[in-house]
Amino acid sequence: MTDARGSAGRDDETNALRTPGTPCWVSLMVHGPAATQEFYGALFGWEFQPGPRQLGPYARALLDGREVAGIGQLPPDRHLPLAWTPYFASDDVDRTAETVRLCGGTIGVGPLDAGEAGRLAIGSDPSGAVFGIWQAAAHLGTAVTGVPGTPAWNELLTYESASVAKFYETVFGFESDPEVSADFDYVTLLVDGRPVAGVHGVGGALPRDRGPHWMTYFEVTDAEESVERLEDLGGHVLEPVRDTAHGRVARAADPEGARLSLLQRPG
């Protein structure tokens, strides 16, 4: 994570249609949704209500009554690595999905209607990292950010940043801000000049059992306290709490193995 400035939403942003390319939702598909809901409910204070069932059993997580994320159930025969998936806003999901294909990506699900909520597709970039595309109707996406228990930042961990960043620039219209350094490979993606996501090239440091994947950072009040709670709930710490320019960060996995990061902002 290099730059999360401007990633905290405000009510006027979260209750309106997002500019195309803006991250608008995060979703996790697991084998045991009931146990996963219990884990995240205890970790972040989420409650749950049923959501659209076009992808099978699915629930929306609520924080103080406002939607922040989704958790669904994978088909029993799917054994892919579990990961939080960011959804990027689109005003025409069918056109965006076609652009994904033309740019060397793939579309694995959709485009399809999610009831009255909106229209979606799930794809992967040329390196294999999975992401979602969301065309909002009744469901605009995450209704509150910038407070503990909400998504704070999305970052792609991949082999190298330049070519993959160009894919996302073409598909979603991002601007890019590469960090020029001999030992650090990072591109910040921007919408209307505002940083919204990052692409981090880590080369051989990418886990062999996982491949390129998106990582969601969730905001917490106290990183150490949240890590202790996560472990008590059956999660696993992958990287202990460390200080960064953007706050205290830890990397972890939930009981089913889905990876996430915890972010305690400065001050």
Side-chain angles (χ1 to χ4, degrees):
M1 179 182 186
T2 178
D3 197 340
R5 66 179 185 268
S7 63
R10 295 296 178 259
D11 288 352
D12 59 343
E13 296 173 351
T14 53
N15 289 330
L17 286 172
R18 271 72 165 193
T19 303
T22 306
C24 59
W25 189 246
V26 291
S27 187
L28 175 64
M29 304 297 286
V30 295
H31 297 289
T36 299
Q37 289 177 28
E38 184 176 348
F39 170 83
Y40 285 101
L43 181 63
F44 293 138
W46 292 350
E47 299 176 334
F48 295 88
Q49 69 177 17
R53 301 179 68 87
Q54 277 71 16
L55 297 178
Y58 191 82
R60 290 178 181 157
L62 308 179
L63 185 67
D64 296 329
R66 305 180 70 184
E67 297 170 344
V68 294
I71 294 176
Q73 183 168 4
L74 279 171
D77 57 347
R78 295 290 296 274
H79 299 288
L80 299 173
L82 305 181
W84 281 97
T85 299
Y87 282 70
F88 299 99
S90 169
D91 54 14
D92 186 334
V93 69
D94 295 79
R95 185 178 63 202
T96 303
E98 183 59 27
T99 305
V100 167
R101 297 187 185 99
L102 292 173
C103 292
T106 60
I107 296 295
V109 176
L112 57 84
D113 290 324
E116 298 179 353
R119 189 163 171 80
L120 68 87
I122 300 173
S124 57
D125 66 29
S127 71
V130 176
F131 61 92
I133 308 165
W134 181 250
Q135 180 181 339
H139 175 63
L140 300 177
T142 301
V144 57
T145 59
V147 298
T150 62
W153 185 249
N154 290 289
E155 185 171 277
L156 174 60
L157 301 176
T158 189
Y159 297 111
E160 57 84 28
S161 69
S163 62
V164 178
K166 288 190 180 302
F167 166 84
Y168 287 97
E169 290 170 37
T170 304
V171 170
F172 292 109
F174 293 126
E175 307 153 55
S176 67
D177 180 15
E179 181 154 334
V180 180
S181 171
D183 56 359
F184 191 60
D185 179 14
Y186 201 97
V187 174
T188 302
L189 302 175
L190 307 95
V191 171
D192 296 332
R194 180 172 63 95
V196 296
V199 180
H200 190 184
V202 297
L206 202 65
R208 291 188 177 181
D209 64 341
R210 188 151 293 259
H213 62 282
W214 281 92
M215 168 74 70
T216 298
Y217 288 71
F218 292 94
E219 187 155 341
V220 297
T221 302
D222 184 301
E224 277 89 358
E225 183 180 287
S226 295
V227 163
E228 289 180 13
R229 187 182 311 130
L230 179 142
E231 291 184 301
D232 289 343
L233 293 168
H236 309 281
V237 176
L238 303 176
E239 295 180 13
V241 178
R242 68 189 190 281
D243 290 314
T244 74
H246 307 285
R248 297 176 63 71
V249 173
R251 190 159 293 178
D254 68 21
E256 277 208 33
R259 300 186 177 203
L260 66 150
S261 289
L262 306 175
L263 169 66
Q264 175 189 339
R265 294 187 186 274

